[in-house]
Amino acid sequence: MLADEASGTLWVCSNDLSALGIKGPSDVKGAALKGFDLKTGAGKVSAPFPVSPAICNDIAIGPDGAAYVTNTLGPQILRLKFGSQTLEVWKSDPLFAPVGKEAGLDGIAFGTDGNLYVDTFTTAKLFRIDVKDGQAGKVTPLTPSRPLVLTDGLRPLGDGSFLMAEGGGRLDCVTFSGDTAKVEVLRDGIAGGVTGATKVGATAFITVGQLAIITDPARKGSKPDLPFRVLTVPLDSP
């Protein structure tokens, strides 16, 4: 989910998770990116993924006003151009491809340098995609300053650094320099794992997703260990 105040749109990923034993509305098939009016809640966009298998995961808005979306089950980043109703494959690369039952591409965000940064969930890898005139260029793996666990949501802080969620229970601040990533822990030991993060003023808001209830076969049918929560983490500066 991403609130795009510039266009007045709430972007939401919609997915058919019946393969994981999670029932949804009978008319929901495959993956789609949906947009709703931030003020009225009225539907504005419903764009199905043109690739399969697919799970719509995270969203970023580019300098061109387009929405860029990660596919967790495939090696694709998709783009919905501003004003369009049709998703297109913007970048596909073998480096993004999940293996077996891995969850692949996840967090996505543009940097102040105009390039696009993404992470993968199961393997916890970081990548930079060079961007020029809206076109995708070289994909570069980035080396983190410490081992990462289940990297998830990625959001820019506006100063060249990013908030990054780790399913291992951390909220990080990540700063990319060249082909390296300096990772600073803002909060650790978050039970249930962190799935998403965003910044409002001088506060980070994080979601605790408890994904093991969905992804671990041994947990099928079990109840959550904790209430589903949104937590706040104070940041040093607004």
Side-chain angles (χ1 to χ4, degrees), residues 99-121:
V99 178
K101 295 184 178 181
E102 288 181 355
L105 285 167
D106 199 310
I108 180 171
F110 278 90
T112 54
D113 58 5
N115 295 322
L116 188 61
Y117 294 84
V118 296
D119 61 43
T120 56
F121 184 72

PDB file of all heavy atoms in Angstrom, residues 99-121:
ATOM      1  N   VAL A  99      13.861 -18.743  -6.489  1.00  0.00           N
ATOM      2  CA  VAL A  99      14.108 -20.159  -6.746  1.00  0.00           C
ATOM      3  C   VAL A  99      13.198 -21.002  -5.862  1.00  0.00           C
ATOM      4  O   VAL A  99      13.104 -20.763  -4.655  1.00  0.00           O
ATOM      5  CB  VAL A  99      15.585 -20.523  -6.471  1.00  0.00           C
ATOM      6  CG1 VAL A  99      15.824 -22.009  -6.687  1.00  0.00           C
ATOM      7  CG2 VAL A  99      16.510 -19.698  -7.356  1.00  0.00           C
ATOM      8  N   GLY A 100      12.533 -21.980  -6.481  1.00  0.00           N
ATOM      9  CA  GLY A 100      11.658 -22.855  -5.707  1.00  0.00           C
ATOM     10  C   GLY A 100      10.542 -22.079  -5.036  1.00  0.00           C
ATOM     11  O   GLY A 100       9.808 -21.333  -5.687  1.00  0.00           O
ATOM     12  N   LYS A 101      10.439 -22.232  -3.726  1.00  0.00           N
ATOM     13  CA  LYS A 101       9.370 -21.579  -2.972  1.00  0.00           C
ATOM     14  C   LYS A 101       9.819 -20.257  -2.351  1.00  0.00           C
ATOM     15  O   LYS A 101       9.145 -19.717  -1.467  1.00  0.00           O
ATOM     16  CB  LYS A 101       8.849 -22.515  -1.886  1.00  0.00           C
ATOM     17  CG  LYS A 101       8.166 -23.764  -2.443  1.00  0.00           C
ATOM     18  CD  LYS A 101       7.578 -24.602  -1.326  1.00  0.00           C
ATOM     19  CE  LYS A 101       6.857 -25.829  -1.898  1.00  0.00           C
ATOM     20  NZ  LYS A 101       6.263 -26.657  -0.821  1.00  0.00           N
ATOM     21  N   GLU A 102      10.941 -19.728  -2.826  1.00  0.00           N
ATOM     22  CA  GLU A 102      11.402 -18.433  -2.324  1.00  0.00           C
ATOM     23  C   GLU A 102      10.420 -17.320  -2.677  1.00  0.00           C
ATOM     24  O   GLU A 102       9.732 -17.382  -3.689  1.00  0.00           O
ATOM     25  CB  GLU A 102      12.760 -18.062  -2.941  1.00  0.00           C
ATOM     26  CG  GLU A 102      13.941 -18.861  -2.437  1.00  0.00           C
ATOM     27  CD  GLU A 102      15.227 -18.400  -3.101  1.00  0.00           C
ATOM     28  OE1 GLU A 102      15.168 -17.541  -4.008  1.00  0.00           O
ATOM     29  OE2 GLU A 102      16.299 -18.905  -2.723  1.00  0.00           O
ATOM     30  N   ALA A 103      10.372 -16.299  -1.826  1.00  0.00           N
ATOM     31  CA  ALA A 103       9.694 -15.048  -2.164  1.00  0.00           C
ATOM     32  C   ALA A 103      10.764 -14.102  -2.693  1.00  0.00           C
ATOM     33  O   ALA A 103      11.790 -13.891  -2.042  1.00  0.00           O
ATOM     34  CB  ALA A 103       9.005 -14.453  -0.945  1.00  0.00           C
ATOM     35  N   GLY A 104      10.545 -13.542  -3.870  1.00  0.00           N
ATOM     36  CA  GLY A 104      11.562 -12.737  -4.533  1.00  0.00           C
ATOM     37  C   GLY A 104      11.444 -11.260  -4.263  1.00  0.00           C
ATOM     38  O   GLY A 104      11.473 -10.813  -3.111  1.00  0.00           O
ATOM     39  N   LEU A 105      11.297 -10.475  -5.332  1.00  0.00           N
ATOM     40  CA  LEU A 105      11.274  -9.021  -5.218  1.00  0.00           C
ATOM     41  C   LEU A 105      10.247  -8.540  -4.206  1.00  0.00           C
ATOM     42  O   LEU A 105       9.123  -9.046  -4.136  1.00  0.00           O
ATOM     43  CB  LEU A 105      10.975  -8.400  -6.580  1.00  0.00           C
ATOM     44  CG  LEU A 105      12.122  -8.400  -7.594  1.00  0.00           C
ATOM     45  CD1 LEU A 105      11.597  -8.066  -8.979  1.00  0.00           C
ATOM     46  CD2 LEU A 105      13.208  -7.418  -7.175  1.00  0.00           C
ATOM     47  N   ASP A 106      10.614  -7.510  -3.453  1.00  0.00           N
ATOM     48  CA  ASP A 106       9.735  -7.017  -2.396  1.00  0.00           C
ATOM     49  C   ASP A 106       9.761  -5.496  -2.361  1.00  0.00           C
ATOM     50  O   ASP A 106       9.090  -4.821  -3.129  1.00  0.00           O
ATOM     51  CB  ASP A 106      10.160  -7.617  -1.059  1.00  0.00           C
ATOM     52  CG  ASP A 106       9.063  -7.536  -0.012  1.00  0.00           C
ATOM     53  OD1 ASP A 106       8.506  -6.438   0.172  1.00  0.00           O
ATOM     54  OD2 ASP A 106       8.769  -8.551   0.639  1.00  0.00           O
ATOM     55  N   GLY A 107      10.606  -4.902  -1.482  1.00  0.00           N
ATOM     56  CA  GLY A 107      10.625  -3.462  -1.326  1.00  0.00           C
ATOM     57  C   GLY A 107      11.163  -2.748  -2.559  1.00  0.00           C
ATOM     58  O   GLY A 107      12.011  -3.268  -3.279  1.00  0.00           O
ATOM     59  N   ILE A 108      10.668  -1.523  -2.784  1.00  0.00           N
ATOM     60  CA  ILE A 108      11.052  -0.754  -3.969  1.00  0.00           C
ATOM     61  C   ILE A 108      10.939   0.737  -3.647  1.00  0.00           C
ATOM     62  O   ILE A 108       9.963   1.177  -3.026  1.00  0.00           O
ATOM     63  CB  ILE A 108      10.164  -1.134  -5.177  1.00  0.00           C
ATOM     64  CG1 ILE A 108      10.542  -0.355  -6.434  1.00  0.00           C
ATOM     65  CG2 ILE A 108       8.686  -0.965  -4.850  1.00  0.00           C
ATOM     66  CD1 ILE A 108       9.841  -0.864  -7.698  1.00  0.00           C
ATOM     67  N   ALA A 109      11.943   1.514  -4.053  1.00  0.00           N
ATOM     68  CA  ALA A 109      11.920   2.959  -3.797  1.00  0.00           C
ATOM     69  C   ALA A 109      12.927   3.659  -4.698  1.00  0.00           C
ATOM     70  O   ALA A 109      13.988   3.105  -5.010  1.00  0.00           O
ATOM     71  CB  ALA A 109      12.243   3.255  -2.327  1.00  0.00           C
ATOM     72  N   PHE A 110      12.596   4.876  -5.089  1.00  0.00           N
ATOM     73  CA  PHE A 110      13.516   5.717  -5.860  1.00  0.00           C
ATOM     74  C   PHE A 110      14.416   6.498  -4.919  1.00  0.00           C
ATOM     75  O   PHE A 110      13.979   6.991  -3.871  1.00  0.00           O
ATOM     76  CB  PHE A 110      12.751   6.692  -6.753  1.00  0.00           C
ATOM     77  CG  PHE A 110      12.274   6.086  -8.035  1.00  0.00           C
ATOM     78  CD1 PHE A 110      11.027   5.479  -8.108  1.00  0.00           C
ATOM     79  CD2 PHE A 110      13.074   6.105  -9.169  1.00  0.00           C
ATOM     80  CE1 PHE A 110      10.582   4.907  -9.293  1.00  0.00           C
ATOM     81  CE2 PHE A 110      12.642   5.536 -10.358  1.00  0.00           C
ATOM     82  CZ  PHE A 110      11.398   4.932 -10.422  1.00  0.00           C
ATOM     83  N   GLY A 111      15.686   6.634  -5.315  1.00  0.00           N
ATOM     84  CA  GLY A 111      16.625   7.437  -4.551  1.00  0.00           C
ATOM     85  C   GLY A 111      16.692   8.855  -5.073  1.00  0.00           C
ATOM     86  O   GLY A 111      16.161   9.176  -6.147  1.00  0.00           O
ATOM     87  N   THR A 112      17.363   9.713  -4.332  1.00  0.00           N
ATOM     88  CA  THR A 112      17.534  11.093  -4.774  1.00  0.00           C
ATOM     89  C   THR A 112      18.418  11.181  -6.017  1.00  0.00           C
ATOM     90  O   THR A 112      18.437  12.208  -6.691  1.00  0.00           O
ATOM     91  CB  THR A 112      18.153  11.948  -3.649  1.00  0.00           C
ATOM     92  OG1 THR A 112      19.363  11.324  -3.201  1.00  0.00           O
ATOM     93  CG2 THR A 112      17.192  12.067  -2.470  1.00  0.00           C
ATOM     94  N   ASP A 113      19.144  10.097  -6.315  1.00  0.00           N
ATOM     95  CA  ASP A 113      19.971  10.048  -7.517  1.00  0.00           C
ATOM     96  C   ASP A 113      19.177   9.677  -8.761  1.00  0.00           C
ATOM     97  O   ASP A 113      19.729   9.600  -9.866  1.00  0.00           O
ATOM     98  CB  ASP A 113      21.132   9.069  -7.337  1.00  0.00           C
ATOM     99  CG  ASP A 113      20.670   7.653  -7.009  1.00  0.00           C
ATOM    100  OD1 ASP A 113      19.444   7.402  -7.005  1.00  0.00           O
ATOM    101  OD2 ASP A 113      21.537   6.792  -6.753  1.00  0.00           O
ATOM    102  N   GLY A 114      17.857   9.422  -8.600  1.00  0.00           N
ATOM    103  CA  GLY A 114      17.001   9.069  -9.727  1.00  0.00           C
ATOM    104  C   GLY A 114      16.984   7.598 -10.057  1.00  0.00           C
ATOM    105  O   GLY A 114      16.212   7.169 -10.918  1.00  0.00           O
ATOM    106  N   ASN A 115      17.838   6.811  -9.398  1.00  0.00           N
ATOM    107  CA  ASN A 115      17.866   5.374  -9.636  1.00  0.00           C
ATOM    108  C   ASN A 115      16.861   4.657  -8.737  1.00  0.00           C
ATOM    109  O   ASN A 115      16.389   5.215  -7.738  1.00  0.00           O
ATOM    110  CB  ASN A 115      19.276   4.820  -9.403  1.00  0.00           C
ATOM    111  CG  ASN A 115      20.269   5.373 -10.397  1.00  0.00           C
ATOM    112  OD1 ASN A 115      19.961   5.551 -11.572  1.00  0.00           O
ATOM    113  ND2 ASN A 115      21.478   5.679  -9.934  1.00  0.00           N
ATOM    114  N   LEU A 116      16.554   3.421  -9.103  1.00  0.00           N
ATOM    115  CA  LEU A 116      15.557   2.645  -8.378  1.00  0.00           C
ATOM    116  C   LEU A 116      16.256   1.568  -7.555  1.00  0.00           C
ATOM    117  O   LEU A 116      17.160   0.874  -8.047  1.00  0.00           O
ATOM    118  CB  LEU A 116      14.579   2.003  -9.360  1.00  0.00           C
ATOM    119  CG  LEU A 116      13.351   1.302  -8.763  1.00  0.00           C
ATOM    120  CD1 LEU A 116      12.488   2.286  -7.975  1.00  0.00           C
ATOM    121  CD2 LEU A 116      12.516   0.655  -9.878  1.00  0.00           C
ATOM    122  N   TYR A 117      15.831   1.421  -6.310  1.00  0.00           N
ATOM    123  CA  TYR A 117      16.412   0.440  -5.401  1.00  0.00           C
ATOM    124  C   TYR A 117      15.341  -0.580  -5.009  1.00  0.00           C
ATOM    125  O   TYR A 117      14.190  -0.208  -4.738  1.00  0.00           O
ATOM    126  CB  TYR A 117      16.975   1.130  -4.158  1.00  0.00           C
ATOM    127  CG  TYR A 117      18.148   2.021  -4.480  1.00  0.00           C
ATOM    128  CD1 TYR A 117      17.954   3.334  -4.924  1.00  0.00           C
ATOM    129  CD2 TYR A 117      19.452   1.549  -4.384  1.00  0.00           C
ATOM    130  CE1 TYR A 117      19.028   4.146  -5.253  1.00  0.00           C
ATOM    131  CE2 TYR A 117      20.537   2.364  -4.705  1.00  0.00           C
ATOM    132  CZ  TYR A 117      20.312   3.655  -5.133  1.00  0.00           C
ATOM    133  OH  TYR A 117      21.378   4.452  -5.472  1.00  0.00           O
ATOM    134  N   VAL A 118      15.744  -1.862  -4.984  1.00  0.00           N
ATOM    135  CA  VAL A 118      14.817  -2.934  -4.619  1.00  0.00           C
ATOM    136  C   VAL A 118      15.511  -3.926  -3.703  1.00  0.00           C
ATOM    137  O   VAL A 118      16.750  -3.990  -3.642  1.00  0.00           O
ATOM    138  CB  VAL A 118      14.269  -3.681  -5.862  1.00  0.00           C
ATOM    139  CG1 VAL A 118      13.439  -2.759  -6.736  1.00  0.00           C
ATOM    140  CG2 VAL A 118      15.399  -4.315  -6.666  1.00  0.00           C
ATOM    141  N   ASP A 119      14.714  -4.711  -2.980  1.00  0.00           N
ATOM    142  CA  ASP A 119      15.258  -5.823  -2.209  1.00  0.00           C
ATOM    143  C   ASP A 119      14.450  -7.084  -2.484  1.00  0.00           C
ATOM    144  O   ASP A 119      13.366  -7.027  -3.074  1.00  0.00           O
ATOM    145  CB  ASP A 119      15.313  -5.502  -0.701  1.00  0.00           C
ATOM    146  CG  ASP A 119      13.948  -5.213  -0.088  1.00  0.00           C
ATOM    147  OD1 ASP A 119      12.984  -5.923  -0.399  1.00  0.00           O
ATOM    148  OD2 ASP A 119      13.859  -4.269   0.733  1.00  0.00           O
ATOM    149  N   THR A 120      15.015  -8.224  -2.095  1.00  0.00           N
ATOM    150  CA  THR A 120      14.319  -9.503  -2.206  1.00  0.00           C
ATOM    151  C   THR A 120      14.075 -10.039  -0.806  1.00  0.00           C
ATOM    152  O   THR A 120      14.890  -9.838   0.101  1.00  0.00           O
ATOM    153  CB  THR A 120      15.124 -10.528  -3.021  1.00  0.00           C
ATOM    154  OG1 THR A 120      16.416 -10.698  -2.438  1.00  0.00           O
ATOM    155  CG2 THR A 120      15.271 -10.060  -4.467  1.00  0.00           C
ATOM    156  N   PHE A 121      12.964 -10.753  -0.628  1.00  0.00           N
ATOM    157  CA  PHE A 121      12.539 -11.130   0.717  1.00  0.00           C
ATOM    158  C   PHE A 121      13.331 -12.310   1.279  1.00  0.00           C
ATOM    159  O   PHE A 121      14.077 -12.166   2.247  1.00  0.00           O
ATOM    160  CB  PHE A 121      11.044 -11.451   0.709  1.00  0.00           C
ATOM    161  CG  PHE A 121      10.484 -11.752   2.079  1.00  0.00           C
ATOM    162  CD1 PHE A 121      10.322 -10.744   3.009  1.00  0.00           C
ATOM    163  CD2 PHE A 121      10.119 -13.050   2.429  1.00  0.00           C
ATOM    164  CE1 PHE A 121       9.811 -11.016   4.278  1.00  0.00           C
ATOM    165  CE2 PHE A 121       9.609 -13.333   3.686  1.00  0.00           C
ATOM    166  CZ  PHE A 121       9.454 -12.309   4.617  1.00  0.00           C
TER     167      PHE A 121
END
